[in-house]
Amino acid sequence: MSGTSRARGYWEQVVRPLVVDRWPGLGYAAGRLGSGSDVLGLDDGTSTDHDWGNRLTLLVDADRVADVDAWLEDVLPPAFDGLPTRFATTWSPQVRHGVDVASVAGFVHSRLGVDATAPLEPSAWLGLTGQSVLEVVAGDVFEDVAGELTAVRERLAWMPHDVWLAVLAGEWAAIAQELPFVGRAGERGDDLGSRVVAARLVERTVRLGFWLDRRWPPYAKWLGTLHARLPRASVTAAPLGRALAADDWRTREAAIVEALETLHDLQRDTGLPAAASAVVPFHTRGFAGVGDVPELLRDAVDDAGVRAWSAGTASVEQWATSVPVLMDPTARSRVAAAALGPEPRRGPDA
């Protein structure tokens, strides 16, 4: 049984009857949200060794959170469907029930570090990671009586167009910074260095595919799995795999170039700014470089402030690599805010 199926049964057979009987007319939303492979529908037998079991997200009015949480601790049965309803987790040694009771605003803030119950400023979008958004939008919602959670999930379905262009420009710019090094390191006999750069570029190209297909990228463990399910960009898996397996830098570089040109064609087909070719010679050295794709995307941004960000500090997960920072909504938001500076003026150029 998948974690989501277990959560649905736990809600329908145990938690919902108790809550509705105790608080008739209560506005709530219930589902399997937050962390865990089951939220992405990717759990299997290996997933059950920690933080897996009778888990559920129950969102109620803020003034009811403490009462509902404490009451469930008192009245929930000791087990459901062969597993305990109270257990410790990797983030808390306390043995207690696995129903995450919160308000919609509180739950969303705990994942994103911002209030997404209202429209977000551009700088707030750039402080999000794909994984943090997936923890809000990817899991199954069993019921949403109040409708507030559904509204938040619709708002987070994808970023605004200008922010999207900025993120794409930032990814292409980052690729441009290192693409020539695959050949340069290889030419000097540094095969390990060439492989390291190639691996970094493969990851960036995978993420570029997510951005172009308007899908939020998960954290590293599931990046390849969900990349294979992308509607268009998944076709780059074959050349990217060849790039990682190649024993010489020329084959390695050629495979990455093939993937980049494929994504550039998808970008053009989407109606986004594109050049004649994504890849151009890097000066006269005989290595591949990126053309003016980042600049074309940045120039298409209407908001002057967002256009400035795309030059070097786009989405925080494009330039921050510390896992503890990326997992901590408060730290992530502070780092992003510090890098982006004060909120610039909004609107198109006069």
Side-chain angles (χ1 to χ4, degrees):
M1 178 188 296
S2 70
T4 295
S5 296
R6 172 172 289 277
R8 184 183 293 274
Y10 188 36
W11 165 248
E12 293 176 348
Q13 299 175 44
V14 178
V15 180
R16 185 186 188 280
L18 289 171
V19 171
V20 171
D21 181 67
R22 175 65 179 81
W23 287 283
L26 178 70
Y28 61 80
R32 179 65 186 97
L33 310 176
S35 63
S37 300
D38 49 327
V39 173
L40 300 178
L42 299 174
D43 54 317
D44 57 17
T46 302
S47 308
T48 63
D49 66 349
H50 69 281
D51 300 338
W52 193 94
N54 291 315
R55 295 179 61 186
L56 178 70
T57 305
L58 176 59
L59 306 178
V60 298
D61 291 341
D63 59 359
R64 288 289 192 187
V65 170
D67 290 342
V68 173
D69 182 64
W71 186 75
L72 287 175
E73 182 63 24
D74 289 339
V75 303
L76 283 171
F80 168 72
D81 197 24
L83 292 180
T85 60
R86 295 169 180 82
F87 46 90
T89 60
T90 55
W91 58 86
S92 174
Q94 183 180 7
V95 176
R96 70 185 318 273
H97 71 79
V99 181
D100 181 12
V101 184
S103 66
V104 171
F107 171 76
V108 172
H109 194 278
S110 74
R111 302 294 157 174
L112 306 183
V114 296
D115 179 12
T117 60
L120 299 176
E121 292 294 322
S123 58
W125 286 97
L126 300 185
L128 306 182
T129 64
Q131 177 62 33
S132 69
V133 178
L134 288 171
E135 291 180 3
V136 178
V137 306
D140 283 7
V141 174
F142 311 141
E143 287 187 71
D144 184 9
V145 174
E148 186 180 7
L149 175 61
T150 298
V152 169
R153 283 161 61 102
E154 290 174 351
R155 181 174 295 118
L156 293 171
W158 195 240
M159 62 190 81
H161 187 74
D162 273 356
V163 176
W164 183 33
L165 291 173
V167 170
L168 287 170
E171 203 70 72
W172 277 109
I175 291 169
Q177 290 170 352
E178 296 194 340
L179 182 58
F181 302 160
V182 175
R184 180 58 170 153
E187 180 192 54
R188 292 299 298 266
D190 181 8
D191 185 63
L192 177 60
S194 177
R195 289 175 184 268
V196 169
V197 174
R200 288 164 58 91
L201 288 167
V202 166
E203 180 180 0
R204 287 204 174 276
T205 306
V206 166
R207 291 185 180 277
L208 179 61
F210 276 91
W211 303 133
L212 284 169
D213 267 337
R214 296 169 60 94
R215 299 292 193 275
W216 294 105
Y219 72 115
K221 178 170 66 173
W222 298 121
L223 198 61
T225 301
L226 292 188
H227 179 267
R229 301 180 184 182
L230 293 177
R232 301 180 305 160
S234 58
V235 298
T236 60
L240 293 177
R242 293 199 303 272
L244 292 174
D247 288 328
D248 66 276
W249 72 262
R250 288 180 176 83
T251 303
R252 201 172 294 139
E253 181 189 73
I256 294 172
V257 167
E258 178 184 340
L260 291 175
E261 290 291 5
T262 297
L263 292 182
H264 186 246
D265 288 343
L266 293 179
Q267 182 171 305
R268 181 185 296 107
D269 293 343
T270 304
L272 296 170
S277 175
V279 178
V280 298
F282 183 70
H283 299 290
T284 60
R285 298 187 176 192
F287 310 133
V290 172
D292 57 357
V293 180
E295 291 76 17
L296 291 172
L297 288 162
R298 186 171 63 249
D299 290 345
V301 175
D302 287 331
D303 189 301
V306 176
R307 192 185 313 132
W309 296 339
S310 66
T313 51
S315 172
V316 64
E317 64 183 322
Q318 293 178 314
W319 51 268
T321 59
S322 168
V323 172
V325 169
L326 292 177
M327 289 181 62
D328 184 331
T330 301
R332 188 176 65 237
S333 296
R334 288 175 177 171
V335 168
L340 295 173
E343 182 73 19
R345 66 181 180 85
R346 301 290 304 281
D349 293 333

